[in-house]
Amino acid sequence: MIYFDNSATTAIYPLALDTYVKTSQRIMGNPSSLHDLGTQANRLLQQARKQIAELLDVQAGEIFFTSGGTEGDNWVLKGTAIAKRGYGNHIIISSVEHPAVGRTAEQLKELGYDVSVAPVDQNGFVQVEKLAELIRPETILVSVMGVNNEMGAIQPIEAISDILENYPTIHFHVDAVQAIGKVDQAKWLTPRVDFATFSAHKFHGPRGVGFIYWKAGKKLAPLLNGGGQENGQRATTENLPAIVAMSRALRMHLEKRAERPNHTAVIRQYLKEALASYDKVRIFSGDENFAPHILTFGIKGIRGEVLVHALEEKQIFVSTTSACSSRKKVDSSTLHAMNVPHDIATTAVRVSLDEASTMAEAEQFMVVFNHLYDKFSKIN
């Protein structure tokens, strides 16, 4: 099997899974309980929080646990809308955001909030000048992803941060799900960023757990009210085994990137050059300011899902851009935002790599691709 769909989800590290199992077996207390078992569980919870904070070089009190990226995005957008309603009702997102942001913004619009959408250029990068023109006195939030999950474009978070320095009361949120461990942190977690969202299963942790970075001093209303967990900001008993496993997975993931910082970039470049040699192949992902693990391309006249299933028959697993929309057969929103014609956008296929990916796998991928390309050409 060749697994090239790591932007959809990653395999949990064996050591992280071992941590999950052992924590489940050995730590039975509720972190909110007053007795010794609860104290033991709470101590482990805070250790995990501290480790994640240290890995991001932030304060432990700025880390809040969630069920994943979707909850984190919903929390920041809706929590800001509620907390800052007295200051304004205008929100700005980009045209290439993940549905967790885009559809949340649509819901807020139905509730009376005003939402503006900043456009991207033909390469999928947010047009910073046009985003700046959308800012109004009633703007309360700007939300832009760190790395686009479909094309791999590293969004200009630093340039947007520079603009927002002049607007200190506007919350700045970055969906960093595809960025952490893949792109240098300085590019997406600038001092101006107020909130960032993360999901463990994107960096070899368990599914159904994540966290947000919440800069101290910023206002955010809770979505879940109840028992007062997470310093009163997210009520529900913490998923302690998953949280502890997530903290270990993040540490391991960042260590592996430090050991081989250019590993996926080398494989991606090989695939990009090999695919570009085919007349009917169009490469959608660029080189400069693109993440080193995502490569999106298409074969003229061949729908993306056809190629995905043809590769699957050879035990090679890729996706049609975003995994969250591929099963529903929703076309790539990013390619449409880039003004790519519909018939071309529907050909898109995403290869997403990881530190476990090898050059031998990439070479085998090209052997199979060459066979399929010839087969499709004969059919056409």
Side-chain angles (χ1 to χ4, degrees):
M1 183 185 78
I2 296 176
Y3 185 74
F4 281 175
D5 196 19
N6 290 280
S7 287
T9 194
T10 56
I12 189 170
Y13 287 134
L15 288 177
L17 179 58
D18 182 61
T19 296
Y20 182 94
V21 172
K22 288 181 178 178
T23 303
S24 299
Q25 293 172 333
R26 299 174 182 176
I27 310 297
M28 63 176 293
N30 185 320
S32 297
S33 297
L34 294 178
H35 50 61
D36 286 345
L37 293 179
T39 300
Q40 184 183 27
N42 186 63
R43 185 181 302 116
L44 200 56
L45 179 71
Q46 302 312 327
Q47 287 175 353
R49 193 189 313 275
K50 181 180 178 182
Q51 177 168 287
I52 290 173
E54 289 175 347
L55 290 169
L56 293 183
D57 195 24
V58 300
Q59 300 300 311
E62 297 175 318
I63 299 298
F64 291 79
F65 298 119
T66 68
S67 63
T70 294
E71 183 193 335
D73 288 341
N74 272 261
W75 187 3
V76 174
L77 267 69
K78 294 175 183 176
T80 293
I82 295 169
K84 295 178 72 70
R85 182 66 191 237
Y87 301 92
N89 71 333
H90 182 231
I91 294 168
I92 300 172
I93 66 171
S94 85
S95 60
V96 295
E97 293 304 305
H98 188 278
V101 168
R103 292 177 186 170
T104 300
E106 289 176 7
Q107 185 182 27
L108 288 172
K109 192 173 182 179
E110 293 173 357
L111 294 173
Y113 289 85
D114 192 1
V115 178
S116 296
V117 179
V120 297
D121 62 20
Q122 61 183 2
N123 295 311
F125 297 107
V126 173
Q127 298 185 53
V128 178
E129 298 80 7
K130 293 189 176 181
L131 183 150
E133 292 172 0
L134 296 173
I135 297 174
R136 308 199 301 245
E138 61 269 26
T139 303
I140 57 175
L141 172 69
V142 172
S143 181
V144 177
M145 59 181 15
V147 171
N148 179 260
N149 57 304
E150 296 185 4
M151 299 299 116
I154 303 172
Q155 296 299 346
I157 301 302
E158 293 168 294
I160 297 171
S161 294
D162 290 341
I163 290 172
L164 292 179
E165 286 291 347
N166 298 317
Y167 304 92
T169 61
I170 296 177
H171 281 179
F172 186 22
H173 166 240
V174 172
D175 179 337
V177 166
Q178 291 291 342
I180 190 167
K182 307 294 195 305
V183 175
D184 290 341
Q185 183 173 311
K187 290 183 176 295
W188 51 266
L189 193 61
T190 69
R192 181 59 186 83
V193 172
D194 300 311
F195 301 92
T197 50
F198 306 87
S199 186
H201 76 106
K202 305 294 187 180
F203 51 80
H204 300 279
R207 300 172 191 178
V209 65
F211 65 95
I212 68 170
Y213 159 70
W214 172 352
K215 183 187 291 182
K218 297 299 177 179
K219 294 182 178 180
L220 197 65
L223 294 188
L224 302 178
N225 296 291
Q229 291 88 351
E230 292 301 286
N231 198 28
Q233 301 302 321
R234 181 183 183 265
T236 192
T237 300
E238 298 90 347
N239 186 353
L240 184 63
I243 289 169
V244 175
M246 172 174 64
S247 68
R248 185 167 192 179
L250 181 59
R251 177 174 58 80
M252 294 174 64
H253 186 57
L254 296 179
E255 287 174 350
K256 289 178 183 292
R257 172 170 167 75
E259 292 168 2
R260 297 194 296 171
N262 300 317
H263 177 69
T264 57
V266 172
I267 298 173
R268 179 186 185 274
Q269 187 61 25
Y270 163 77
L271 288 171
K272 189 171 187 293
E273 292 176 358
L275 289 166
S277 66
Y278 292 83
D279 292 339
K280 294 182 180 180
V281 169
R282 173 165 176 175
I283 307 292
F284 298 111
S285 301
D287 288 317
E288 188 175 357
N289 292 321
F290 277 81
H293 66 296
I294 296 175
L295 179 64
T296 300
F297 69 94
I299 303 175
K300 183 179 179 181
I302 305 298
R303 290 186 64 87
E305 63 262 27
V306 173
L307 180 55
V308 167
H309 290 307
L311 289 167
E312 181 185 11
E313 290 180 358
K314 304 296 183 181
Q315 289 293 291
I316 298 175
F317 297 91
V318 298
S319 68
T320 54
T321 60
S322 173
C324 294
S325 60
S326 60
R327 185 170 290 276
K328 300 183 180 73
K329 298 185 178 180
V330 176
D331 296 336
S332 167
S333 59
T334 299
L335 286 170
H336 287 307
M338 292 163 56
N339 292 317
V340 175
H342 175 77
D343 60 329
I344 298 177
T346 56
T347 70
V349 170
R350 180 186 67 184
V351 168
S352 47
L353 308 168
D354 185 69
E355 75 266 8
S357 304
T358 67
M359 187 61 76
E361 290 178 329
E363 292 169 348
Q364 180 61 23
F365 174 92
M366 289 310 307
V367 169
V368 174
F369 178 84
N370 183 69
H371 170 73
L372 294 175
Y373 185 87
D374 288 343
K375 178 182 176 180
F376 292 142
S377 297
K378 291 175 182 178
I379 292 174
N380 284 342

